[in-house]
Amino acid sequence: IVASRSLLELSFQKAAICSTAMHQGAALVAISYMSCFFDASLTDVLESPECPSDESRGAVLVQILARCGEGLMFNVFYALLGVSALSRVHKSATMLQKLAALCSLCERTMWKGILCWDSLCGWLQTTDAASDYLHSRTGDNCRNHPGYMQGKGGRTLKRVIRDFAESHRNVPTPYIDSRWSCRQQLS
């Protein structure tokens, strides 16, 4: 893993891009790949709460996630805007729950310098999800969505993602040149 750091980062970036694919199978496989990446990262952080050297497997995986986080968040939310978005809700929610767990775990350990809640908050803000959520929870919007965020943990996150996908289902998405998107992700 340490020797193939750059290839792993590239594959993670490409999986994030592929999660937006119109082909449902390709998108779900890409999201599954990223979810497995989170599982491996969580395992390493749990096994060694003291942040190991930069040349350890866990450090490499967490550093990749830290560098790719903004693109990941953008692509996951973009994937929830496309066709067959509702089929991606469960896997997206599971993946984001693992990311939140990883940020929470890192926050309480020596890993905080690499990945923490501030990272997750920053990535979410870049996708403008924070302002959408606040808008839905204030004023008249709150009365229009009774019981919107009741529940715990993963169910709550899944509901938010499903609501996001359903409310944006028929909204035309702007055309993004895939070559531009790839260059942006890889630069």
Side-chain angles (χ1 to χ4, degrees):
I1 287 180
V2 174
S4 59
R5 173 188 318 226
S6 60
L7 291 175
L8 278 173
E9 186 169 344
L10 184 62
S11 71
F12 190 85
Q13 290 170 342
K14 292 207 180 263
I17 293 167
C18 288
S19 70
T20 66
M22 290 185 73
H23 186 277
Q24 182 178 348
L28 294 177
V29 167
I31 293 171
S32 292
Y33 170 78
M34 291 184 293
S35 187
C36 290
F37 202 97
F38 285 116
D39 285 336
S41 302
L42 276 165
T43 299
D44 285 340
V45 172
L46 284 169
E47 288 177 357
S48 59
E50 298 299 318
C51 188
S53 72
D54 285 347
E55 296 303 312
S56 70
R57 172 187 139 145
V60 168
L61 294 174
V62 172
Q63 288 169 353
I64 289 171
L65 291 174
R67 284 192 297 271
C68 298
E70 185 176 335
L72 166 71
M73 299 305 285
F74 173 80
N75 285 307
V76 166
F77 285 106
Y78 191 79
L80 294 170
L81 297 175
V83 280
S84 68
L86 293 178
S87 66
R88 302 170 197 199
V89 167
H90 177 73
K91 285 190 177 279
S92 296
T94 301
M95 184 180 61
L96 291 174
Q97 186 177 23
K98 289 176 184 180
L99 177 59
L102 187 60
C103 288
S104 176
L105 184 60
C106 288
E107 184 78 24
R108 296 176 284 165
T109 65
M110 299 299 290
W111 292 85
K112 184 176 181 175
I114 301 174
L115 189 66
C116 63
W117 280 114
D118 291 339
S119 305
L120 183 59
C121 290
W123 299 332
L124 284 171
Q125 287 173 350
T126 62
T127 62
D128 205 29
S131 62
D132 288 345
Y133 174 74
L134 289 175
H135 178 71
S136 72
R137 299 295 296 162
T138 57
D140 292 334
N141 289 324
C142 187
R143 287 187 284 278
N144 293 335
H145 301 286
Y148 178 68
M149 282 293 284
Q150 293 177 357
K152 296 280 184 184
R155 290 189 314 260
T156 302
L157 179 62
K158 187 175 177 181
R159 187 177 310 121
V160 169
I161 291 172
R162 186 182 313 111
D163 288 349
F164 178 84
E166 286 177 350
S167 67
H168 291 83
R169 184 188 293 187
N170 295 320
V171 176
T173 55
Y175 172 74
I176 295 181
D177 184 355
S178 61
R179 292 168 293 165
W180 178 84
S181 180
C182 290
R183 281 195 302 269
Q184 288 297 101
Q185 291 292 325
L186 300 177
S187 61

